[in-house]
Amino acid sequence: EWLKNLNIRNLGRVTVINLRGLQVPLVSERVQSWLIETLVDLDIQSLILDPFVRAFAGFGSENDNSEVGAFTHTLDVVKRESNVSDLFLTHHFGRKDQDQGREHGRGATRLDDWADSRWIMTVVGGQRFLRISGRGVELPETALIRDENGQFRVGTTTRIDAKKAINQEAQNSLVHRVIEILSARPGLSTRQIEMALKGTSKTAIGFALRAAIESGDVVRQKGRGNAFKHYVTESQPSLL
């Protein structure tokens, strides 16, 4: 079903070999021979191995450059012996968020060094982004927009734009929360607002409070002991 949803025009030219639950270690010469024969018999021009961690089974540790190098050499041999034109290998990043332009696959760096080009897909706020870099290939990071048919097209938004939008949305939400608190409890000091928003960073609250003041929604007045009190604009006390 998922294959049909990709809207591939010539399904007869696509072969899916599902090896989930089977032990087919590429480290074995017997398995390598089987794979080469299968690719030749089917006249495969493009091979997709998904994912790396499954194909790598038996070679050792994914964090070891020498063992990963042995694996990539095996792939090169299989590709050459079977006359495959293009080989795609999917891999995952670690859980830590990585800055644009500094992404690297989980484990040994040898894998990133081996690839002729890297197709880097990331997700921010549910939005997918694609960046391609390599030998003679370059696509700046851009959004992938899914249409009503499930097909992707290239957009114009970058991951940095998306993060800025998310941060702005979060700040706007916090500004509204500050205004709600001051509407119910006029005259709070900065410290009291921080206590009312316990669990939110003081830096974020400071930015939100300044934004509310700059927009004119909140005013700040000096009270006793030089402490500043904050009021929603329509609830501020008269100075007369």
Side-chain angles (χ1 to χ4, degrees), residues 103-219:
E103 305 92 346
H104 59 84
R106 190 180 64 200
T109 58
R110 189 72 172 268
L111 191 61
D112 286 314
D113 298 339
W114 164 76
D116 290 325
S117 64
R118 299 196 307 154
W119 293 40
I120 301 168
M121 181 176 287
T122 53
V123 179
V124 174
Q127 172 65 62
R128 289 180 173 87
F129 297 88
L130 175 67
R131 182 171 70 85
I132 302 175
S133 65
R135 300 183 182 95
V137 181
E138 195 68 38
L139 175 70
E141 185 176 79
T142 186
L144 293 177
I145 310 300
R146 176 175 282 179
D147 60 25
E148 62 275 8
N149 297 317
Q151 299 297 295
F152 287 103
R153 59 181 175 82
V154 175
T156 57
T157 304
T158 67
R159 188 165 25 136
I160 293 176
D161 294 332
K163 287 184 176 180
K164 286 181 179 179
I166 291 174
N167 291 338
Q168 186 61 54
E169 182 178 349
Q171 180 174 325
N172 290 343
S173 177
L174 188 54
V175 168
H176 290 311
R177 182 73 182 116
V178 167
I179 293 174
E180 287 177 353
I181 291 172
L182 291 176
S183 294
R185 300 168 58 191
L188 294 182
S189 66
T190 300
R191 174 61 177 164
Q192 290 171 323
I193 294 173
E194 291 172 352
M195 291 297 294
L197 290 168
K198 189 174 182 179
T200 304
S201 76
K202 293 181 180 180
T203 300
I205 294 173
F207 278 124
L209 193 53
R210 283 194 292 272
I213 293 171
E214 290 172 0
S215 68
D217 293 308
V218 170
V219 294

Side-chain angles (χ1 to χ4, degrees), residues 15-163:
T15 300
V16 178
I17 303 178
N18 189 349
L19 301 178
R20 181 182 288 273
L22 301 177
Q23 291 186 349
V24 191
L26 271 176
V27 71
S28 164
E29 292 185 0
R30 181 179 177 183
V31 171
Q32 294 170 27
S33 297
W34 165 80
L35 179 56
I36 292 171
E37 291 174 6
T38 301
L39 295 173
V40 171
D41 289 344
L42 294 173
D43 190 26
I44 298 298
Q45 298 302 307
S46 296
L47 172 63
I48 302 174
L49 293 177
D50 177 32
F52 158 75
V53 67
R54 296 285 186 180
F56 183 72
F59 279 89
S61 170
E62 66 176 17
N63 297 311
D64 188 293
N65 276 314
S66 296
E67 291 169 348
V68 170
F71 169 72
T72 57
H73 175 70
T74 297
L75 295 186
D76 289 336
V77 171
V78 169
K79 181 175 179 289
R80 184 184 67 249
E81 294 295 324
S82 58
N83 293 318
V84 165
S85 300
D86 301 295
L87 188 154
F88 298 87
L89 177 67
T90 67
H91 189 32
H92 298 281
F93 296 140
R95 294 183 181 277
K96 184 179 179 180
D97 189 28
Q98 300 180 16
D99 293 334
Q100 181 177 334
R102 304 186 66 181
E103 305 92 346
H104 59 84
R106 190 180 64 200
T109 58
R110 189 72 172 268
L111 191 61
D112 286 314
D113 298 339
W114 164 76
D116 290 325
S117 64
R118 299 196 307 154
W119 293 40
I120 301 168
M121 181 176 287
T122 53
V123 179
V124 174
Q127 172 65 62
R128 289 180 173 87
F129 297 88
L130 175 67
R131 182 171 70 85
I132 302 175
S133 65
R135 300 183 182 95
V137 181
E138 195 68 38
L139 175 70
E141 185 176 79
T142 186
L144 293 177
I145 310 300
R146 176 175 282 179
D147 60 25
E148 62 275 8
N149 297 317
Q151 299 297 295
F152 287 103
R153 59 181 175 82
V154 175
T156 57
T157 304
T158 67
R159 188 165 25 136
I160 293 176
D161 294 332
K163 287 184 176 180

